[in-house]
């Protein structure tokens, strides 16, 4: 069913275990080991953050909703477990993914507009290596509708025409009243969901698990409640208490913010529900470590390494 | 059944095809052969891993529309069975076929068909993207409702057995219930889009206009200004409703039910074309046809009526004359008269073999052709209607059950225009000597 995650192609074909993902990527890397060594690329999360930033930049030039950007990010992640990143021009991948995502999220943009705006955003030497020899290079994305159109075929084909993506935003909205979430908590959870597209979580977990994790982080990450460290402690407490409903008080000792009424309600709801608590804890920890990794993010490093890689492959 | 707006070119093309005769045999194959040799492709470009002609042998042409063409094929290399391959034609720029981006309707159809799986929805086998063309491979269905209705008008009118209609309708609603509970609106239900297999199983086809309606980013109206082929278009759409619902599909089911009974479209209006300003005109002729049977809608029966853009235009229509007796049990007197008259002229009472849909049929029809979309039956409710359970009959999953006669097979021809040069407007069906079907309007969206 198109709107039922359990029967969806997303669940049937695009959910993996961490081990499966690692295996798929090792296989891609082994296709050309020398290239992988010669063209170092940043940590996948840093690279994903770069993609995210670029998509948001491009999206701002057109009327595009967040959900289309989210779908585009999922497309890119799916594509790059089938195709080695070093064999592609990531700018074309990004522009095409966004173009297709806009159509699928029912806010279509004309292909000329996407190509035009992409060229404008990524024009000039900004995205090319800073060495002088590259100064007069052409743009990273050719201003060419047929190139994007051709790449769309490639993208759809690698995804087996499975283009409908289920997002956690819907579960978040559905849980708003159940969990009595305040507007600031919703918006915090919303941005956590936005951020999770920089991780592998969309390929590892069903959207409702992500949504519940985002709510958990929103309730515990609030600046007034001790921030990151407290959340880590809470997550640890959660993972160590298999029978939550009986043990919520013991968790209180470890994490002070568990005393918050809302968090307690949330934990109680979690305990009686059918959501996989271990998965929620894993997700939350994944997102927390994303925030830690992102502290090392440097946009220029990403740009330069991608540019060097494309140069090496003659893709520019 | 000559239609009001025959696209003359379609009939002309049909005659042309016949005249060209056997030399066209090659061109069916040619439509697929144009795929270029992957070895010749320049580096760094897209080539399909799967080639259509490696897996399927094309044996003929079925139909064409604005989207492209449908071919009949058989599987190769141990893949048994028959298939319908829908080829989306790429846009052309000058002489060269270029990648210009896939239309939104093709994207929707590819994505939705990949997700959906139900015995009453057409089954997608695979999608092959090869050399600028999209090939959607479907299971083959031998018949469709338009063809079945047509068969019953020749050589003389003879009714479709009531039990067959009951089975068709039940399966259609069952498929529609699945679509709606999957948050999919079909938006183009009409006899030509309802397939029937040789085993009598109904399959809803052509999801080219279908879309998800769960919390759309924009109002559904903004996305596509015009939906549903005019004769099957629900009154709220004709009146310019901004927020429409799955109820539009149920109106179309009502129209199809009526057409199965009478073998003619019940509301056969003429479409007012979009003017140059691209504003949607009031579909006066179509609305008048509905009013001719149902009478004018009233605010008492349809409170939201006044909020429709074209509410004011209703005053320009000719109301149903006072010749009809007042309605009993709240039912629309005009429809009641239409129904019993249809049953009589279609020989349902006299023809014992055909059985009769009876008073329960009228009740179901009137609840499907309900003005107010909020009161119209849902697919789920319609499946529970006594029409399907009366007399303790079980509805057969084979709509041909108990029928001695067989319907003729879908006509498949070797005729095809060279796909590289054709730019056929409108819809064309293979093997029709006249404009019988060309008269039927189609509704496709500009993307």
């Amino acid at each position: 069913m198109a709107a039922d995650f359990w029967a969806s192609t997303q669940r049937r074909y695009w959910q993996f275990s961490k081990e499966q993902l690692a295996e798929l990527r090792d296989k891609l890397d082994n296709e050309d080991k020398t290239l992988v060594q010669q063209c170092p690329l940043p940590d996948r999360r840093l690279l994903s953050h770069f993609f995210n930033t670029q998509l948001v930049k491009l999206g701002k030039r057109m009327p595009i909703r967040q959900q289309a950007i989210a779908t585009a990010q999922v497309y890119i992640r799916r594509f790059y477990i089938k195709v080695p990143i070093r064999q592609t021009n990531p700018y074309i991948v990004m522009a095409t993914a966004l173009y297709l995502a806009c159509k699928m999220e029912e806010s279509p943009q004309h292909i000329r507009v996407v190509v035009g705006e992409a060229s404008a955003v990524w024009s000039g030497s900004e995205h090319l290596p800073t060495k002088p020899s590259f100064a007069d290079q052409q743009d990273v994305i050719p201003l060419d509708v047929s190139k994007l159109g051709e790449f769309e075929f490639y993208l759809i084909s690698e995804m087996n025409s499975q283009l409908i993506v289920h997002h956690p935003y819907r579960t978040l909205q559905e849980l708003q009243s159940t969990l009595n979430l305040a507007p600031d908590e919703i918006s915090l959870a919303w941005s956590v969901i936005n951020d999770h597209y920089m991780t592998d979580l969309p390929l590892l977990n069903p959207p409702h698990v992500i949504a519940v994790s985002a709510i958990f982080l929103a309730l515990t990450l609030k600046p007034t409640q001790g921030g990151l460290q407290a959340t880590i402690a809470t997550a640890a407490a959660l993972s160590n208490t298999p029978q939550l409903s009986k043990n919520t008080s013991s968790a209180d000792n470890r994490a002070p913010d568990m005393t918050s009424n809302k968090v307690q309600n949330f934990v109680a709801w979690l305990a009686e529900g059918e959501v996989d608590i271990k998965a929620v804890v894993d997700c939350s920890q994944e997102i927390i470590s994303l925030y830690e990794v992102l502290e090392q993010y440097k946009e220029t490093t990403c740009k330069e390494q991608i540019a060097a890689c494309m140069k090496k492959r003659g893709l520019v | 059944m000559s239609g009001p707006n025959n696209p003359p070119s379609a009939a002309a093309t049909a005659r042309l095809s016949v005249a060209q005769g056997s030399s066209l045999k090659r061109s069916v194959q040619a439509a697929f052969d144009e795929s270029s040799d992957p070895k010749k492709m320049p580096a760094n470009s897209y080539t399909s891993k799967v080639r259509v002609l490696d897996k399927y042998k094309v044996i003929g042409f079925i139909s064409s529309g604005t989207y492209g063409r449908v071919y009949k094929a058989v599987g190769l290399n141990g893949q048994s069975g028959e298939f319908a391959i829908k080829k989306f034609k790429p846009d052309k720029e000058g002489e060269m076929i270029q990648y210009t981006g896939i239309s939104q309707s093709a994207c929707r159809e590819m994505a939705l068909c990949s997700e959906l799986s139900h015995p009453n929805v057409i089954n997608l086998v695979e999608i092959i993207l090869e050399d600028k063309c999209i090939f959607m491979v479907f299971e083959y269905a031998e018949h469709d409702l338009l063809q079945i209705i047509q068969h019953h008008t020749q050589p003389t009118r003879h009714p479709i057995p009531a039990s067959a209609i009951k089975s068709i309708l039940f399966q259609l609603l069952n498929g529609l219930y699945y679509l709606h509970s999957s948050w999919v609106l079909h938006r183009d239900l009409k006899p030509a889009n309802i397939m029937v297999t040789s085993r009598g199983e109904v399959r809803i086809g052509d999801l080219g206009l279908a879309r998800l309606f769960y919390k759309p980013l924009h109002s559904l109206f903004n996305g596509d200004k015009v939906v549903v082929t005019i004769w099957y278009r629900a009154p709220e759409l004709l009146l310019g409703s901004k927020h429409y619902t799955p109820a539009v599909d149920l109106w179309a089911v009502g129209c199809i039910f009526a057409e199965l009974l009478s073998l003619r479209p019940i509301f056969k209006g003429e479409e007012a074309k979009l003017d140059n300003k691209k504003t949607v005109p009031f579909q006066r002729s179509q609305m008048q046809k509905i009013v001719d049977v149902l009478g004018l809608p009233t605010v008492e029966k349809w409170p939201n009526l006044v909020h429709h853009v074209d509410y004011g235009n209703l005053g320009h229509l000719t109301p149903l004359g006072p010749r009809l007796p007042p309605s009993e049990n709240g039912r629309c007197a005009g429809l009641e008269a239409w129904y019993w008259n249809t049953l009589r002229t279609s020989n349902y009472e006299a023809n014992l073999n055909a059985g009769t849909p009876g008073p329960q049929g009228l009740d179901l029809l009137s609840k499907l052709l309900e003005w107010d979309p909020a009161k119209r039956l849902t697919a789920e409710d319609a499946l529970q209607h006594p029409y399907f359970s009366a007399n303790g009959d079980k509805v057969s999953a084979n709509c041909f059950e108990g029928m001695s006669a067989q319907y003729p097979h879908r006509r498949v021809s070797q005729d095809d225009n060279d796909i590289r040069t054709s730019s056929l407007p409108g819809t064309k069906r293979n093997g029709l000597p006249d404009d019988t079907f060309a008269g039927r309007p189609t509704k496709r969206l500009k993307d």
Side-chain angles (χ1 to χ4, degrees):
Chain A
M1 272 200 248
D4 172 4
F5 173 77
W6 300 106
S8 69
T9 55
Q10 182 175 346
R11 194 186 79 90
R12 286 182 289 152
Y13 303 108
W14 297 101
Q15 297 273 287
F16 305 90
S17 67
K18 280 184 182 168
E19 294 72 28
Q20 286 171 321
L21 267 190
E23 203 173 302
L24 285 167
R25 285 170 175 154
D26 281 349
K27 228 177 98 195
L28 288 185
D29 282 351
N30 289 337
E31 278 181 25
D32 193 344
K33 278 184 180 168
T34 13
L35 186 65
V36 174
Q37 282 164 1
Q38 284 173 340
C39 299
L41 286 174
D43 179 286
R44 187 169 288 106
R45 286 167 291 187
L46 296 176
L47 205 54
S48 304
H49 186 257
F50 177 70
F51 291 161
N52 178 42
T53 323
Q54 299 304 314
L55 287 169
V56 169
K57 242 193 207 172
L58 179 55
K60 270 189 185 147
R61 304 176 68 100
M62 302 170 256
I64 285 178
R65 297 280 197 100
Q66 168 57 32
Q67 187 153 316
I69 292 184
T71 298
Q73 290 179 92
V74 173
Y75 289 172
I76 293 170
R77 197 166 291 277
R78 288 180 179 184
F79 183 72
Y80 281 141
I81 58 169
K82 305 277 293 280
V83 176
I85 184 167
R86 290 170 180 84
Q87 291 179 14
T88 65
N89 177 336
Y91 296 96
I92 295 183
V93 177
M94 283 190 274
T96 312
L98 191 60
Y99 167 64
L100 182 59
C102 285
K103 282 189 282 191
M104 288 316 301
E105 298 300 339
E106 300 289 347
S107 51
Q109 300 293 322
H110 197 281
I111 190 165
R112 286 187 196 289
V113 173
V114 177
V115 168
E117 296 299 341
S119 305
V121 170
W122 297 321
S123 67
S125 55
E126 194 199 341
H127 290 270
L128 293 163
T130 45
K131 289 174 200 158
S133 57
F134 294 116
D136 55 358
Q137 277 284 359
Q138 61 191 92
D139 295 344
V140 288
I141 177 157
L143 184 80
D144 186 349
V145 165
S146 71
K147 192 74 211 160
L148 201 77
E150 179 175 11
F151 208 90
E152 184 179 29
F153 268 52
Y154 193 9
L155 187 60
I156 294 176
S157 174
E158 290 299 335
M159 293 196 292
N160 293 322
S161 309
Q162 289 149 1
L163 306 178
I164 292 175
V165 178
H166 295 257
H167 291 288
Y169 300 111
R170 208 162 114 186
T171 313
L172 175 61
Q173 285 168 333
E174 284 164 1
L175 288 178
Q176 182 167 10
S177 60
T178 314
L179 295 172
N180 192 24
L181 301 172
D184 62 323
E185 290 156 350
I186 285 286
S187 85
L188 196 51
W190 190 277
S191 25
V192 171
I193 293 176
N194 291 350
D195 293 340
H196 100 284
Y197 293 104
M198 291 181 251
T199 69
D200 280 333
L201 290 175
L203 297 182
L204 298 170
N205 289 281
H208 71 273
V209 170
I210 312 272
V212 171
S213 310
I215 293 168
F216 167 66
L217 288 171
L219 290 176
T220 51
L221 263 178
K222 276 208 270 188
T224 51
Q225 290 179 333
L228 215 58
Q229 290 311 314
T231 305
I232 294 167
T234 314
L238 273 176
S239 56
N240 292 333
T241 45
Q243 289 182 317
L244 279 165
S245 48
K246 290 173 193 162
N247 279 347
T248 39
S249 57
S250 75
D252 284 352
N253 303 330
R254 296 162 189 249
D257 54 340
M258 289 290 276
T259 50
S260 148
N261 240 348
K262 223 167 235 177
V263 177
Q264 264 178 354
N265 285 345
F266 172 75
V267 171
W269 174 83
L270 203 55
E272 59 194 47
E274 286 158 24
V275 185
D276 180 349
I277 294 176
K278 183 164 184 315
V280 171
V281 171
D282 284 351
C283 275
S284 308
Q285 282 167 342
E286 201 72 50
I287 291 166
I288 290 164
S289 56
L290 167 75
Y291 292 141
E292 287 168 347
V293 169
L294 286 187
E295 288 179 16
Q296 309 155 27
Y297 177 73
K298 274 206 199 88
E299 187 171 283
T300 44
T301 315
C302 288
K303 272 182 200 168
E304 283 172 8
Q305 289 189 329
I306 291 171
C309 186
M310 289 199 297
K311 175 71 185 161
K312 184 118 201 146
R313 297 273 305 150
L315 292 168
V316 185
Chain B
M1 280 218 304
S2 172
N5 43 5
N6 304 346
S9 52
T13 316
R15 279 194 296 276
L16 191 70
S17 312
V18 173
Q20 286 178 355
S22 64
S23 72
L24 288 161
K25 184 158 187 169
R26 272 179 302 115
S27 37
V28 169
Q29 203 65 25
F32 288 78
D33 276 339
E34 64 182 295
S35 317
S36 63
D37 185 345
K39 283 173 229 116
K40 288 182 197 158
M41 296 286 266
N44 205 4
S45 60
Y46 171 74
T47 40
S48 179
K49 291 169 191 160
V50 184
R51 303 200 57 189
V52 176
L53 290 180
D54 291 345
K55 295 189 75 174
Y56 303 95
K57 180 176 161 46
V58 179
I59 57 172
F61 163 76
I62 296 173
S63 66
S64 71
T66 44
Y67 54 85
R69 282 149 186 271
V70 183
Y71 297 89
K72 183 176 179 179
V74 291
L76 293 174
N77 306 323
Q79 189 180 16
S80 64
E82 296 174 317
F83 302 90
I85 303 183
K86 188 170 181 176
K87 175 183 177 175
F88 290 84
K89 69 173 176 214
D91 285 344
K92 287 191 295 181
E93 289 198 349
E95 288 302 297
M96 282 282 291
I97 292 174
Q98 294 273 4
Y99 286 107
T100 52
I102 299 168
S103 73
Q104 196 183 12
S105 103
C107 284
R108 282 177 185 149
E109 189 169 3
M110 287 196 286
L112 287 174
C113 288
S114 300
E115 299 290 328
L116 298 169
S117 169
H118 188 270
N120 298 121
V121 176
I122 200 81
N123 181 35
L124 176 75
V125 178
E126 67 176 322
I127 298 174
I128 298 173
L129 296 141
E130 185 181 341
D131 196 47
K132 306 188 179 98
C133 292
I134 299 166
F135 299 94
M136 292 185 74
V137 183
F138 292 97
E139 65 171 328
Y140 178 74
E142 195 61 75
H143 313 280
D144 60 61
L145 290 189
L146 181 56
Q147 182 210 58
I148 287 171
I149 290 165
Q150 179 66 16
H151 179 73
H152 280 268
T153 62
Q154 288 167 348
T156 55
R157 284 180 181 274
H158 53 292
I160 303 173
S163 61
I165 294 183
K166 191 178 283 189
S167 170
I168 289 168
L169 217 54
F170 189 85
Q171 295 187 60
L172 172 57
L173 285 163
N174 201 31
L176 194 57
Y177 173 51
Y178 167 76
L179 290 182
H180 287 174
S181 47
S182 307
W183 302 96
V184 175
L185 289 178
H186 187 282
R187 308 198 300 178
D188 197 18
L189 288 178
K190 57 180 174 183
N193 288 344
I194 317 293
M195 309 297 152
V196 184
T197 68
S198 50
R199 295 177 302 281
E201 302 146 325
V202 173
R203 307 266 206 263
I204 297 175
D206 199 345
L207 279 91
L209 271 187
R211 59 162 290 177
L212 291 172
F213 62 95
Y214 183 88
K215 291 202 178 156
L217 295 182
H218 302 289
S219 109
L220 292 173
F221 179 79
N222 287 338
D224 316 296
K225 295 244 182 314
V226 185
V227 294
V228 190
T229 304
I230 186 87
W231 296 342
Y232 307 92
R233 199 176 297 166
E236 63 271 26
L237 297 179
L238 296 169
L239 291 171
S241 170
K242 289 222 178 345
H243 298 285
Y244 57 88
T245 60
V248 300
D249 286 336
L250 274 304
W251 178 273
V253 172
C255 295
I256 293 167
F257 185 17
E259 192 164 337
L260 290 168
L261 294 170
S262 73
L263 307 175
R264 292 185 181 91
I266 180 171
F267 308 127
K268 197 175 168 186
E270 279 179 56
E271 181 156 29
K273 298 293 177 200
L274 290 173
D275 61 26
N276 291 333
K277 290 171 208 146
K278 297 212 168 178
T279 52
V280 183
F282 176 57
Q283 295 291 350
R284 183 180 178 148
S285 161
Q286 183 60 30
M287 202 66 193
Q288 183 67 59
K289 295 289 177 187
I290 300 173
V291 170
D292 287 346
V293 176
L294 301 185
L296 278 168
T298 62
V299 178
E300 292 76 58
K301 285 184 183 161
W302 185 4
N304 267 325
L305 182 61
V306 288
H307 302 303
H308 288 76
V309 176
D310 284 311
Y311 172 58
N313 278 316
L314 282 176
H316 305 301
L317 299 176
T318 317
L320 193 56
R323 60 189 182 279
L324 290 157
S327 57
E328 287 167 39
N329 47 31
R331 211 148 46 211
C332 169
L335 186 64
E336 196 157 353
W338 178 93
Y339 184 82
W340 294 118
N341 186 44
T342 296
L343 258 48
R344 193 166 53 251
T345 52
S346 296
N347 284 326
Y348 274 103
E349 305 292 353
N351 189 333
L352 283 176
N353 289 333
T356 174
Q360 295 294 0
L362 171 62
D363 192 69
L364 175 59
L365 183 63
S366 68
K367 285 171 174 160
L368 291 169
L369 297 180
E370 158 67 50
W371 283 109
D372 186 347
K375 293 183 195 146
R376 205 172 297 150
L377 279 189
T378 62
E380 186 179 15
D381 291 341
L383 288 168
Q384 302 298 323
H385 192 277
Y387 167 71
F388 295 112
S389 51
N391 314 327
D393 297 347
K394 263 198 88 181
V395 182
S396 175
N398 169 8
C399 69
F400 302 141
E401 190 168 284
M403 286 169 69
S404 48
Q406 269 206 350
Y407 290 99
H409 285 192
R410 186 182 292 285
R411 287 195 55 184
V412 170
S413 81
Q414 294 296 312
D415 305 356
D416 193 11
N417 307 49
D418 191 334
I419 203 105
R420 279 162 290 200
T421 54
S422 73
S423 56
L424 195 65
T427 307
K428 182 194 158 208
R429 284 190 153 221
N430 163 61
L432 294 159
D434 56 2
D435 59 0
T436 313
F437 293 114
R440 289 186 170 257
T442 58
K443 182 50 59 199
R444 283 271 147 199
L445 295 177
K446 283 248 173 236
D447 291 294

